[in-house]
Amino acid sequence: MTTLLYYILGCAVNGTSVDALRLKDLTAEEWGELYLLGKKQGVTGVLFEQIQKLPKEVAPPRELLLRWMSHTMSVEHQTKERFQRSAEFAELMSNHGLHTLVLKGLALSGYYPNLWHREYGDLDCYLYEEKEGLFSWTGCYERGNQIAEQAGFEIERDYYKHSHIKFNGLEIENHQFSLPIKDSEEVRALELELRRLIEKPNAARRIGKTHLMMPSADFNALFFTAHAMSHFLFESIRVRHVLDWAMFLKKEQDHVDWNNFWMWCDRMHYTRFVRCLNYICSHYLEMELCSSLNVEDSAEITRLSERMMQDILSGYSIYTTGHTGLQHRLDIAVSYMKGLWKFRDVYQRNAFWLLLKRVKNYWKKDVKL
């Protein structure tokens, strides 16, 4: 079922039609497994785009097809609602002279054939000013908080990296930093590099007619990698993360400064992780990748890619257990212990030393760049 899932998603990425002959012998039970797997991995709508094109004789049972369509429509409705709320927030900020640069889900949805089928929850953003071509971050984070507060929206400032703004039913993470810069000097250096990439001429573009700004391909390549790597190490990533990378590469692989990207990957120990993602894109999604992406067929990368896929399919997340307090902390510890192989073989760093360093650095009061 896993191979079939990746095959259909590969068709979505590559813009090709699904070969009906590969699906003609699927039973109703197997179709149901595929539907539930796609739902668990956050790719229901993308799968449905391909499934709905199948001839009736090989399509899923009608009842399942209707359920699939209903869930896809629900995803579309939620995504459109969140996009509308995000645009309203950006307009509020724009009225006070601030630009809203989107991150994560909304930034990546623009690479999908149907952006409404890329599921995401809250809005992650950076606020900045631009005067005569010069960027300024100074004070913009707190100004944004105050603007939202004065407009009657609830603000939580309980985390140094970003605040939480409850905006008309939408949860907004207003970022002061895109990365947890307390972790290490290396992370602080990467944060500065990400800001440099944002500040390059014509680096951001407006999304449609909204005041939402889309980051450059260079920024998205590095930020996606850092964010996905963190998820991979401390819990798990989903097939949706792999699909994000694939959709991004399909659109942008010829527009990224890969020399700079790989230099930072080597410095941050992201290289093996990205090579595994590229392996999955090449071998399972059947993508053609440019030579700069260094697709590697070594026994080690093959082994790690296969293990990463098994980890992805587990779908485990410490944030979906519903646990709080001590039990949540125990969940984190258990997840950490189960993922020691990720630190050792993929990240190539000592997990316990990094944990001690993170705990020590967390109590630092200085969070300035």
Side-chain angles (χ1 to χ4, degrees):
M1 197 55 64
T2 304
T3 302
L4 183 59
L5 173 72
Y6 278 100
Y7 166 68
I8 296 173
L9 292 176
C11 290
V13 174
N14 297 313
T16 57
S17 299
V18 173
D19 182 0
L21 293 177
R22 294 187 61 163
L23 308 179
K24 66 181 181 67
D25 295 326
L26 282 185
T27 64
E29 183 179 2
E30 289 171 330
W31 273 117
E33 290 177 12
L34 181 63
Y35 166 71
L36 292 175
L37 181 59
K39 187 176 180 180
K40 182 179 181 180
Q41 295 294 333
V43 294
T44 301
V46 180
L47 284 176
F48 185 73
E49 291 173 32
Q50 306 304 310
I51 299 302
Q52 67 176 342
K53 301 174 187 175
L54 291 172
K56 288 184 179 180
E57 56 270 22
V58 297
R62 178 175 171 77
E63 182 181 349
L64 176 61
L65 193 62
L66 290 174
R67 195 189 327 158
W68 211 323
M69 180 174 66
S70 175
H71 186 69
T72 299
M73 291 174 66
S74 176
V75 168
E76 289 180 0
H77 176 74
Q78 290 176 3
T79 307
K80 288 177 180 178
E81 281 288 317
R82 287 166 183 154
F83 183 85
Q84 179 60 34
R85 298 289 87 76
S86 299
E88 291 170 2
F89 175 79
E91 184 175 6
L92 173 63
M93 295 298 114
S94 179
N95 291 339
H96 291 81
L98 297 179
H99 295 286
T100 302
L101 187 81
V102 300
L103 309 171
K104 301 182 185 178
L106 181 50
L108 293 165
S109 67
Y111 297 117
Y112 282 64
N114 186 332
L115 64 89
W116 310 123
H117 289 169
R118 200 295 183 182
E119 301 176 29
Y120 61 90
D122 51 17
L123 167 68
D124 291 78
C125 66
Y126 250 143
L127 300 175
Y128 65 95
E129 286 183 302
E130 185 178 2
K131 296 180 180 179
E132 299 180 356
L134 298 177
F135 283 72
S136 174
W137 309 90
T138 307
C140 295
Y141 161 74
E142 185 53 31
R143 273 180 59 195
N145 289 334
Q146 291 174 2
I147 291 166
E149 211 162 31
Q150 290 165 7
F153 301 106
E154 183 181 341
I155 312 293
E156 294 178 2
R157 297 177 176 86
D158 54 349
Y159 185 36
Y160 78 93
K161 188 160 75 78
H162 55 71
S163 65
H164 287 95
I165 303 174
K166 300 184 186 302
F167 183 85
N168 292 334
L170 176 69
E171 186 85 10
I172 296 173
E173 290 187 1
N174 173 28
H175 281 254
Q176 180 171 207
F177 309 105
S178 59
L179 303 174
I181 66 168
K182 284 187 178 182
D183 284 3
S184 68
E185 289 302 316
E186 288 177 334
V187 175
R188 293 167 74 94
L190 181 55
E191 176 79 22
L192 287 170
E193 171 64 7
L194 289 171
R195 292 196 176 191
R196 183 189 73 82
L197 293 174
I198 292 171
E199 293 169 3
K200 291 176 67 175
N202 303 314
R205 58 180 175 81
R206 190 180 295 273
I207 300 177
K209 297 180 180 180
T210 72
H211 292 281
L212 297 164
M213 303 298 291
M214 174 84 158
S216 68
D218 285 322
F219 177 94
N220 273 335
L222 267 178
F223 181 71
F224 167 86
T225 302
H227 180 66
M229 183 70 172
S230 179
H231 272 278
F232 173 68
L233 289 174
F234 293 102
E235 44 178 325
S236 181
I237 58 175
R238 294 201 284 171
V239 171
R240 187 179 67 195
H241 290 89
V242 178
L243 191 60
D244 283 343
W245 185 241
M247 291 293 188
F248 170 77
L249 293 181
K250 187 67 178 178
K251 290 281 187 73
E252 301 283 23
Q253 63 177 311
D254 295 328
H255 307 126
V256 175
D257 181 350
W258 291 113
N259 289 329
N260 186 62
F261 174 83
W262 286 117
M263 183 273 290
W264 278 101
C265 283
D266 289 343
R267 181 173 175 178
M268 303 299 297
H269 289 235
Y270 297 159
T271 300
R272 280 195 171 186
F273 176 68
V274 177
R275 289 197 189 285
C276 288
L277 287 179
N278 290 346
Y279 179 93
I280 295 171
C281 287
S282 176
H283 288 76
Y284 286 87
L285 298 179
E286 301 179 16
M287 293 180 63
E288 289 187 19
L289 302 181
C290 66
S291 59
S292 298
L293 283 162
N294 303 332
V295 177
E296 185 179 331
D297 290 330
S298 68
E300 182 68 0
I301 292 300
T302 300
R303 180 185 71 83
L304 290 176
S305 300
E306 297 289 346
R307 190 164 187 184
M308 182 185 289
M309 290 178 65
Q310 292 174 8
D311 184 71
I312 288 171
L313 291 175
S314 73
Y316 177 74
S317 173
I318 56 176
Y319 299 104
T320 58
T321 60
H323 296 156
T324 58
L326 179 59
Q327 184 59 55
H328 180 66
R329 289 175 174 80
L330 289 173
D331 289 341
I332 294 174
V334 170
S335 178
Y336 200 80
M337 294 299 294
K338 286 182 177 179
L340 289 180
W341 69 271
K342 302 177 187 180
F343 289 88
R344 181 186 64 244
D345 299 338
V346 181
Y347 200 29
Q348 297 182 288
R349 288 187 168 180
N350 185 289
F352 294 108
W353 171 248
L354 284 173
L355 180 60
L356 288 173
K357 192 174 180 181
R358 288 187 74 173
V359 171
K360 176 185 175 183
N361 290 339
Y362 182 80
W363 298 105
K364 285 184 177 180
K365 293 182 178 181
D366 180 18
V367 292
K368 295 180 180 179
L369 287 174

